[in-house]
Amino acid sequence: MSTFETRAVSPAEPPTGTQGVSRLRKDAVGLAGVIFMAVATAAPITAMTGNVPIALGFGNGLGAPAGYLFATIVLTVFSVGYVAMAKHITSAGAFYGYISHGLGQVVGMVAGLLATMAYVVFEASLIGFFAYSAHDTFLTMAGVDVHWLVFAFVGLGLNAVLTYFDINLTAKVLGFFLITEIFMLGLTATVTLFHGGGPDGFMISSINPLNAFQSNGLAAGAVGLGLFMCFWSWVGFESTAMYGEESRDPKRIVPKATLVSVVGIGLFYTFISWMTVAANGVKAPELAATEFAGIFFNPTRELVGAWAVDLFKVLILTGSFACSMAFHNCASRYLYALGRENLIPGTGRTLGATHPKHGSPHIAGFIQTAISVVLVLAFFFAGMDPYIHLYTLLAVLGTLAILIVQSLCSFSVIGYFHVKKKHPETANVFRTLIAPLTGGLAMLFVVLLLFQNQEAAAGDASKTLLFRLIPWIVLAFAALGAGLALYLKARNPAKFAIIGRIVLEDTVERD
């Protein structure tokens, strides 16, 4: 069985307890596969149809496309430092490994638990959206009324089966769904472009970056909410690093896939949101506040045809499923990354195990499925709605956690290259200092936006107890991570030393 080495105390001797770790399948996926999985996690069709109407109707209104352009710039700056770390550290733990190396094991464990929790709940969240969409699609298009819980279990079952096998299978499935999503979103937008825009032309002012910070004038309008919805649309792009251990050339593929994903998604989101505004005209904010996805369906019906609207609805369904499967992969790899360190006795042989043939983290995957089943059933027995409650509440919870981790990741770049003075050949003032500092502060700004607008983002779900507990849940996981790390530091220094330190043997990081 292949093994991992870790960042060692000395060049010749890794910390005790890290030998013989089960390894993910090496060279299993190429650049295109990593990009497909990262972009599928961001879920373009779900992000556009779910977030653009809120940004338009209740946020920065006609400036929503400018908000996406602003988010593209900020996240590109964030990615500069992120990819600098990716050139030297290759780990399925991604944020967990990066932050542990840059800010130390205590902060690393905090980030590891927060990121794991976020990706774990994201799968159940997207399954809620998938189940809701499936119920609605089958009812309106086929007249068949199937309870949403049935679709939820079907989705979770498919995720468990498909991700059990070689990651190449997952990449192909996600790639197919992603191409169909992009085709559908791009179809109406391109037709609108060649049609000369909508009733008020192209509305060029919608992509003026200054308009990203202006309210649409509605009573409920909030610039912060609009900008938050823009940033929310990207959650998942950073998953490129999680597949480094399974990619053919991680030092080249992960940085390139990250930048391609961020810039590609950003320009695509900006174009789609701009053409959506143009297709609906100056009344777009008013229409978005009352018709939601109608701002996509109505222009599609008018410019392309009724058949395209039906296809659009089906692809929203398949797109949300693809996103849930991508998050299942992310969660499984985080659980695996934590488990293989065997910080809690027995987890190395369970969570940290990989399939002898497929090289997948199969046990972590089944545990992730079990957690998702419990979450879905909890919402069902509580009488909650799959969209209003399951999707929204878990999305807000996961997004808050992952934005905090992204902020920590930016600061870890500075710690790694300038405080610990690692790899001076890579470090420079812009790439590893100014860019990550700017990105980290921008991420903290987005966290603030979420706090200020969490009730609006959660909608009707903001009236629930779970909504009020969200900040405390995040704080509890952070405290648990810090407590576990400090306990190991005091009682088991050898295990403390390997927190976040297991990396791919071909790219071993050493003092």
Side-chain angles (χ1 to χ4, degrees):
M1 178 182 292
S2 297
T3 61
F4 283 93
E5 293 181 0
T6 70
R7 182 175 183 272
V9 176
S10 68
E13 213 174 290
T16 303
T18 64
Q19 297 89 347
V21 175
S22 295
R23 173 175 171 169
L24 296 168
R25 183 180 175 187
K26 184 183 175 183
D27 299 333
V29 66
L31 176 63
V34 174
I35 292 174
F36 279 152
M37 288 184 286
V39 177
T41 310
I45 201 164
T46 305
M48 290 290 93
T49 58
N51 297 345
V52 170
I54 297 176
L56 267 174
F58 305 100
N60 39 11
L62 297 176
Y68 277 101
L69 183 58
F70 172 72
T72 301
I73 296 170
V74 169
L75 289 170
T76 300
V77 172
F78 163 82
S79 297
V80 170
Y82 188 67
V83 300
M85 291 284 276
K87 291 179 180 179
H88 299 287
I89 301 172
T90 302
S91 170
F95 286 143
Y96 174 49
Y98 293 177
I99 294 170
S100 177
H101 278 85
L103 298 179
Q105 287 95 326
V106 175
V107 183
M109 180 56 70
V110 169
L113 288 191
L114 285 179
T116 302
M117 181 271 288
Y119 287 115
V120 164
V121 302
F122 276 144
E123 181 185 5
S125 172
L126 266 298
I127 281 294
F129 187 87
F130 163 75
Y132 168 84
S133 301
H135 173 265
D136 180 69
T137 300
F138 275 76
L139 184 61
T140 57
M141 295 181 62
V144 179
D145 189 359
V146 180
H147 196 280
W148 69 265
L149 192 61
V150 175
F151 292 113
F153 285 148
V154 169
L156 290 172
L158 286 174
N159 283 347
V161 172
L162 290 172
T163 56
Y164 173 84
F165 296 102
D166 186 340
I167 194 173
N168 254 318
L169 175 60
T170 301
K172 290 174 182 176
V173 173
L174 292 178
F176 171 77
F177 285 139
L178 179 62
I179 290 172
T180 58
E181 286 183 53
I182 292 174
F183 166 78
M184 191 67 255
L185 287 169
L187 178 61
T188 303
T190 303
V191 171
T192 301
L193 178 67
F194 285 101
H195 193 262
D200 300 297
F202 284 122
M203 302 184 67
I204 300 293
S205 62
S206 291
I207 54 174
N208 181 344
L210 295 178
N211 291 331
F213 304 93
Q214 297 180 10
S215 174
N216 58 27
L218 295 179
V223 174
L225 175 61
L227 288 174
F228 169 68
M229 299 310 295
C230 294
F231 279 94
W232 191 358
S233 302
W234 261 271
V235 169
F237 80 88
E238 72 288 339
S239 64
T240 50
M242 296 179 202
Y243 302 106
E245 293 180 10
E246 297 160 276
S247 65
R248 298 190 183 108
D249 185 0
K251 294 295 186 71
R252 179 184 64 86
I253 283 180
V254 172
K256 186 176 293 186
T258 302
L259 288 174
V260 169
S261 298
V262 171
V263 176
I265 291 172
L267 295 178
F268 185 70
Y269 282 172
T270 302
F271 175 65
I272 297 301
S273 59
W274 174 31
M275 287 298 100
T276 300
V277 168
N280 288 277
V282 294
K283 292 185 177 181
E286 180 182 345
L287 295 171
T290 56
E291 299 185 23
F292 293 96
I295 62 171
F296 291 93
F297 296 154
N298 295 337
T300 298
R301 182 179 292 106
E302 179 182 343
L303 297 174
V304 184
W307 65 269
V309 176
D310 291 338
L311 179 59
F312 210 134
K313 292 180 178 180
V314 171
L315 293 180
I316 290 176
L317 170 63
T318 58
S320 59
F321 167 72
C323 184
S324 73
M325 182 164 63
F327 277 126
H328 178 93
N329 272 283
C330 294
S332 299
R333 278 153 183 77
Y334 260 103
L335 289 170
Y336 159 76
L338 290 171
R340 70 186 180 185
E341 294 180 353
N342 202 33
L343 300 178
I344 300 174
T347 54
R349 296 181 180 275
T350 53
L351 281 177
T354 56
H355 193 280
K357 178 180 178 182
H358 305 300
S360 62
H362 60 305
I363 296 178
F366 287 138
I367 292 175
Q368 165 59 21
T369 298
I371 296 172
S372 295
V373 168
V374 170
L375 288 172
V376 169
L377 286 176
F379 277 82
F380 168 71
F381 285 119
M384 293 185 171
D385 184 82
Y387 177 73
I388 295 175
H389 300 109
L390 179 58
Y391 168 66
T392 305
L393 287 173
L394 294 186
V396 172
L397 171 61
T399 300
L400 175 58
I402 211 67
L403 288 175
I404 292 172
V405 174
Q406 286 180 349
S407 303
L408 291 174
C409 186
S410 287
F411 300 131
S412 75
V413 176
I414 300 173
Y416 183 74
F417 289 103
H418 295 281
V419 178
K420 296 187 175 182
K421 299 187 183 301
K422 298 291 184 178
H423 298 285
E425 74 279 7
T426 298
N428 66 45
V429 173
F430 174 73
R431 182 192 306 150
T432 56
L433 181 60
I434 295 177
L437 178 61
T438 303
L441 293 175
M443 289 295 104
L444 288 177
F445 172 63
V446 180
V447 173
L448 177 62
L449 290 180
L450 175 55
F451 269 110
Q452 291 177 336
N453 298 279
Q454 56 183 331
E455 289 191 17
D460 290 341
S462 63
K463 302 172 185 177
T464 64
L465 173 63
L466 178 57
F467 172 79
R468 294 192 293 273
L469 291 176
I470 283 176
W472 299 103
I473 293 173
V474 172
L475 182 61
F477 272 89
L480 179 62
L484 176 59
L486 292 173
Y487 171 81
L488 290 174
K489 184 177 183 180
R491 303 297 295 271
N492 195 332
K495 283 193 173 183
F496 176 80
I498 67 171
I499 292 177
R501 292 306 205 262
I502 296 182
V503 298
L504 184 64
E505 60 184 1
D506 296 21
T507 54
V508 61
E509 181 59 33
R510 298 190 183 279
D511 282 325

